Amino acid sequence: MIFGFSILKHISDDLALRIIDTIKGTVTDTSVNNAIRNFSINHFTNSYSIWLTVNAGVLVGGKETVDVEFTNEPDFSALDERFTECLAEIVGKDSAEKIPRLREWGLWTMRYGMDIRLEHIDETMRVFARTDMPVQHLNPQNAIDIVNGVPAYMFRETGKKDGKLEIYPKSDLIKLGYLDYKGITEHLVEKNKDTVRLVMNHSRRHMGYAKRFLTKFEMDVWRLESFLNPLVVTNTFRKAYLDTIGNGDFYKYETALEIIENEVSNFQNRKILIDLLNNISERGSVAKARECAADKTKFRKELKLLRDAGINGALLEPDAKIGRIQNPFDEICKKCRIYSP
């Protein structure tokens, strides 16, 4: 569920100068099984701070992998020990033991995500583009910001994708080299041809929902430990999916219309849903229909009514070889429950 994170921590001048003398600049060429992908020291506001980018899979599992393991986060004491080992490989054991433990670090950016297998991946990606999902967030070329090191948009005034869900065919990410993975990938392309990778990049300035969740449960909205909490991760991730893709299965127009006519008993609701379906079909996507709606609140309520009836609203192409695609939201929720039982 967690691909990685970028964190920072203020340190004493003495420790900073000792480390600077050891590393001679920014470190990005760590070993395959070192969870720290980027290590640098900055000096601003009259103090030194360490900035790190961490591969969570390597930190938790101790080995390089392109897969996402759906297990509960281990005890922080175990993470702290592994974290110190990774630091020692860069700055030496003596300095590493003087650097604060992982739970004490402040969070700067977080990358959540999961891999899911789809039976009809091409059709599903096409129908995703007819939801509220920005089309560029389905194009693997857009994923370049998540490859190795600190995401480039982290220092921009406005992050172009921060806090937004992205969905890419995993095999394309592997072919393009857009995964934080240092191993040989050729044999992985065929293995992952029916898999999509869901990614959500958060910088601190785009964590509104997560921060509200943390505040509600009186958790520290600065510390990394809070953002690794399984409840924070899974709730934030599911909300991002529902905001962009939504629930309900995907059908051709005629099939969706038949379901409404046969299964929605209330005449008024039936008329509302048929009109909404016609509007979406005419506009070509949920996003375009929403954009053209005079009353956005009314549109949102009607769309919820449609999805409660089991129909997403985003329609399959008329010439699609299949008449229905099951929404993978149930699979996403299943994996979230494994991560956060």
Side-chain angles (χ1 to χ4, degrees):
M1 283 295 297
I2 301 172
F3 287 126
F5 42 84
S6 297
I7 52 179
L8 69 158
K9 182 65 179 176
H10 292 295
I11 59 172
S12 68
D13 290 0
D14 289 343
L15 180 58
L17 293 173
R18 181 193 300 179
I19 294 174
I20 290 171
D21 187 56
T22 301
I23 65 174
K24 310 296 184 184
T26 299
V27 176
T28 58
D29 59 346
T30 55
S31 65
V32 168
N33 291 326
N34 190 319
I36 298 171
R37 301 306 206 191
N38 189 304
F39 182 106
S40 64
I41 291 185
N42 291 301
H43 184 265
F44 59 95
T45 63
N46 297 319
S47 65
Y48 285 97
S49 59
I50 302 177
W51 293 68
L52 302 178
T53 300
V54 179
N55 181 308
V58 176
L59 181 67
V60 174
K63 60 181 180 179
E64 180 85 348
T65 176
V66 296
D67 298 317
V68 182
E69 300 296 332
F70 295 93
T71 58
N72 289 324
E73 290 299 308
D75 187 285
F76 247 94
S77 60
L79 287 183
D80 284 339
E81 182 178 346
R82 174 67 183 149
F83 181 63
T84 301
E85 291 174 357
C86 293
L87 286 170
E89 191 176 304
I90 299 171
V91 302
K93 184 177 179 181
D94 289 344
S95 294
E97 290 178 348
K98 291 180 173 62
I99 294 174
R101 301 292 78 94
L102 184 64
R103 73 184 70 200
E104 300 175 34
W105 287 62
L107 175 68
W108 189 257
T109 61
M110 175 69 79
R111 297 203 303 272
Y112 298 134
M114 69 167 63
D115 294 341
I116 57 173
R117 292 189 178 277
L118 300 177
E119 188 175 351
H120 306 285
I121 185 169
D122 293 335
E123 290 288 354
T124 304
M125 293 298 291
R126 279 193 284 269
V127 80
F128 278 169
R130 298 188 179 93
T131 62
D132 275 321
M133 191 79 177
V135 175
Q136 65 269 28
H137 289 187
L138 301 166
N139 182 353
Q141 293 289 346
N142 190 53
I144 190 150
D145 286 342
I146 70 171
V147 69
N148 299 330
V150 180
Y153 60 82
M154 190 170 105
F155 300 105
R156 296 180 193 157
E157 297 250 338
T158 55
K160 68 176 182 179
K161 301 182 296 181
D162 280 351
K164 304 297 183 182
L165 183 68
E166 307 158 50
I167 304 178
Y168 307 118
K170 189 176 174 183
S171 60
D172 288 347
L173 293 179
I174 294 171
K175 284 186 285 187
L176 291 168
Y178 288 175
L179 297 181
D180 180 11
Y181 180 70
K182 298 184 179 181
I184 298 172
T185 59
E186 284 80 357
H187 68 288
L188 297 171
V189 174
E190 182 68 19
K191 175 184 174 183
N192 290 281
K193 65 179 181 180
D194 59 350
T195 301
V196 292
R197 171 154 287 192
L198 288 73
V199 184
M200 188 166 61
N201 294 291
H202 266 310
S203 74
R204 285 194 55 78
R205 65 184 178 274
H206 292 91
M207 288 184 174
Y209 176 77
K211 286 182 177 178
R212 288 193 295 272
F213 189 95
L214 294 172
T215 301
K216 178 180 179 180
F217 291 97
E218 299 181 344
M219 301 167 73
D220 193 321
V221 297
W222 171 248
R223 293 286 176 86
L224 168 68
E225 183 175 11
S226 297
F227 291 93
L228 293 182
N229 184 287
L231 289 177
V232 175
V233 175
T234 56
N235 278 277
T236 301
F237 198 84
R238 283 182 292 203
K239 183 179 185 298
Y241 184 88
L242 291 176
D243 284 349
T244 51
I245 302 296
N247 59 314
D249 293 341
F250 306 99
Y251 298 92
K252 292 182 180 179
Y253 169 79
E254 293 79 8
T255 307
L257 188 63
E258 184 178 344
I259 292 173
I260 294 172
E261 291 176 338
N262 292 338
E263 299 187 13
V264 179
S265 57
N266 183 285
F267 173 78
Q268 186 61 31
N269 287 348
R270 189 161 64 243
K271 182 179 183 305
I272 289 172
L273 296 187
I274 290 174
D275 288 345
L276 175 62
L277 196 69
N278 288 336
N279 184 24
I280 294 173
S281 178
E282 179 182 345
R283 301 293 180 185
S285 72
V286 172
K288 290 180 180 177
R290 186 193 302 278
E291 183 180 341
C292 296
D295 188 335
K296 302 292 193 295
T297 300
K298 181 173 177 287
F299 181 90
R300 185 175 66 251
K301 291 180 179 178
E302 292 176 354
L303 184 62
K304 183 180 185 304
L305 189 65
L306 180 66
R307 288 174 172 172
D308 287 345
I311 302 169
N312 179 273
L315 300 168
L316 295 171
E317 296 175 351
D319 59 350
K321 296 180 180 179
I322 51 178
R324 169 183 177 262
I325 291 179
Q326 184 175 353
N327 194 315
F329 183 61
D330 288 343
E331 179 66 16
I332 290 171
C333 289
K334 177 183 175 183
K335 291 201 168 189
C336 284
R337 285 193 296 271
I338 295 172
Y339 184 79
S340 176

